[in-house]
Amino acid sequence: MTEPDSSPRNDTKATTAYAALPAPTVLDVEASGFGRNSYPIEIGFVLPNGHAYCSLIKPEANWTHWDQQAEATHHIPRNIVVDRGLSVQAVARQLNEQLAGQTVYSDGWANDYSWLGALFDAADMTPNFKLENLRALLSDAEADQWHVVKAEVTRERGAQRHRASADARLLQLTLLRLRGQH
């Protein structure tokens, strides 16, 4: 997917072409906490066709950091991640199979990039997709409206689990609403 042109958005032809872009693949990562010792515990994404993927990740033996404040946000207890998570190799393999060759977008690019790096390093694999900042898809006017539109979409969707794939879908729907496609 090419980046939208950065020319002013008052050109009707450019705006129409921009609005007609397909939905991007959006990824979200839940983690054990923030900072240096944190690691991914769940990864989810939504493809342009609406297909969603979500998986818990079993922590590696040396992944021991656990932040109670992070758990209070994502509501995923460590014992559930340990008991039900897939191995780092299985998750990395599934991501590579389903996202091969794509540019995937994240609203928390800096954190998600480091957590994906931790996942793929632990799996001794290389991602065969590219992670980009979702902000790169937004014009300045869209970025200014992002939080308002996201709140509208959140209200309309009602109560949702705070999980990676649900969060990725919310981000994708917010972008589509901003583009006038939802």
Side-chain angles (χ1 to χ4, degrees), residues 83-157:
D83 293 343
R84 299 186 189 165
L86 297 179
S87 71
V88 294
Q89 293 83 4
V91 174
R93 189 172 34 258
Q94 290 176 2
L95 291 173
N96 273 345
E97 287 170 4
Q98 295 189 55
L99 301 176
Q102 293 189 53
T103 298
V104 178
Y105 294 89
S106 164
D107 72 331
W109 182 85
N111 287 320
D112 292 348
Y113 185 84
S114 68
W115 291 324
L116 275 176
L119 172 76
F120 279 90
D121 284 349
D124 197 27
M125 296 172 69
T126 302
N128 62 7
F129 59 93
K130 182 179 179 183
L131 185 67
E132 285 289 336
N133 193 334
L134 184 66
R135 175 60 176 92
L137 298 175
L138 304 175
S139 68
D140 289 342
E142 289 167 334
D144 290 344
Q145 290 299 306
W146 178 262
H147 295 291
V148 171
V149 174
K150 184 178 173 190
E152 288 172 3
V153 173
T154 299
R155 275 192 307 278
E156 291 168 10
R157 293 179 75 213

Side-chain angles (χ1 to χ4, degrees), residues 4-19:
D5 111 42
S6 59
S7 61
R9 295 283 167 226
N10 59 3
D11 176 45
T12 306
K13 191 174 182 180
T15 303
T16 303
Y18 181 68

Side-chain angles (χ1 to χ4, degrees), residues 70-84:
E71 182 179 328
T73 300
H74 55 60
H75 304 289
I76 307 170
R78 181 171 166 78
N79 67 310
I80 297 294
V81 177
V82 170
D83 293 343
R84 299 186 189 165

Side-chain angles (χ1 to χ4, degrees), residues 31-61:
S32 66
F34 293 97
R36 189 172 163 89
N37 295 316
S38 64
Y39 50 88
I41 63 164
E42 183 182 57
I43 292 184
F45 62 79
V46 178
L47 297 174
N49 67 6
H51 169 78
Y53 165 91
C54 198
S55 180
L56 294 172
I57 303 163
K58 185 180 193 81
E60 292 287 283

Side-chain angles (χ1 to χ4, degrees), residues 15-34:
T15 303
T16 303
Y18 181 68
L21 290 173
T25 297
V26 179
L27 177 139
D28 188 61
V29 180
E30 301 298 337
S32 66
F34 293 97

